[in-house]
Amino acid sequence: MEVLHDLVGFQNFKIFQNTDWFSFSLDSVLLPNFVTLNHNIERVLDLGTGNAPIPMILSLKTNAKIVAVEIQEDLYKLAQKNIDYNHLRDRIELLHLDMKKLREIYLPDTFDVITCNPPYFKYLKTSHLNEDEHKVIARHEKLITLEDIFSLCFYLLKNQGVLGMVHRTDRLVEIIHLANQYHLEIKRLRLVYPKENSDSNLVLIEFRKNGKTGLKILPPLYVHHSDGSYTNEVLNMFKESETDESK
C-alpha cells in the first residue's frame, strides 16, 4: 500500500513509501547527517537510493548536483515520484540502472562525495530470505557485493574524494579490510547504539580516496532513551532544514 508521510520530521518534504516493500529506515537519516560536505563539492552520488530519502536530505545540506541510482524499477518510480512531488528535479538526477554500469556512463574521478547505505547481509544459499524480492535485494548482497561497491567508488571518486557509508557493526573489520584494498582510507568512524548500555548495531564510516593514515573516532551516537523515545541528537537531525556546507 502506498502512503505519503513527512520525511521523518522534515516538514518541507513529503515522501511516498509502499508499506508492502522495503521502507527507508533511520539509517537513511543518520548517513546524510554524518558525511562531510563543504562549499567546494560539485557532484554527489547516492548509490542504491531506494525511494530517495538520502538525496532529498542531502539537497538541504549542499548546493552540489546530486545523482541517485536505483536498480529496482518499482523503487525507482517511487523515487521519481518523490523528487517530482518535492520539486527537486533540478537538484537531483535519478538513474534507473545497475550501479555497476556507472563505469559506462561516467569517467573516473567524477564525484566529490559518494553516499551508500548498502545491503547489510551476504547472499548465501543458506541465508534466511524474505519472500518479497524488494526486501531481499535491499537487505542482501544478491545483485552487488561490498567489494563491488568499494571498487566502483574508487573508480568514480575524485582523488581525496569522500565515501560515506552506514553498515552493520559486526562487519566492520571486513569493511575496513576491503576498503584498504581499493585505497579508500578510513578517516572518521562513529558507532551507533540503539540505547545506552547496549551493543552497537550500526556504524557510520567515512573514507577518503588515497587519503593519508589517520582515524578520528567520534563520540558514540545513542538513538533512543531507555523509555524508547529518540535522543535529542537524533531529534535535532530531524529538525535540520537549511543548507549546511560548513563541515
Side-chain angles (χ1 to χ4, degrees), residues 199-212:
D199 292 333
S200 169
N201 60 343
L202 292 175
V203 60
L204 294 160
I205 322 167
E206 187 171 276
F207 305 92
R208 191 171 294 274
K209 179 178 175 178
N210 295 321
K212 294 181 180 179

Side-chain angles (χ1 to χ4, degrees), residues 124-142:
L124 305 171
K125 291 182 178 179
T126 56
S127 297
H128 179 68
L129 302 177
N130 194 287
E131 292 181 0
D132 189 307
E133 187 69 5
H134 295 91
K135 296 179 180 180
V136 171
I137 292 172
R139 292 171 174 167
H140 295 264
E141 295 177 353
K142 182 176 182 179

Side-chain angles (χ1 to χ4, degrees), residues 222-240:
Y222 300 108
V223 176
H224 297 102
H225 294 296
S226 58
D227 62 2
S229 61
Y230 283 123
T231 60
N232 289 336
E233 182 173 7
V234 172
L235 287 174
N236 286 334
M237 291 181 189
F238 297 161
K239 295 174 183 176
E240 293 182 20

Side-chain angles (χ1 to χ4, degrees), residues 1 47 66-67 87 94 118 123 129 139 152 176 206 215 219:
M1 180 177 68
L47 296 173
I66 301 169
V67 178
H87 309 291
L94 185 63
Y123 183 74
L129 302 177
R139 292 171 174 167
L152 178 65
I176 295 173
E206 187 171 276
L215 170 62

Side-chain angles (χ1 to χ4, degrees), residues 69-81:
V69 182
E70 175 54 47
I71 190 171
Q72 297 194 67
E73 184 175 4
D74 292 332
L75 287 176
Y76 164 81
K77 290 179 178 178
L78 206 55
Q80 190 65 71
K81 190 172 184 177

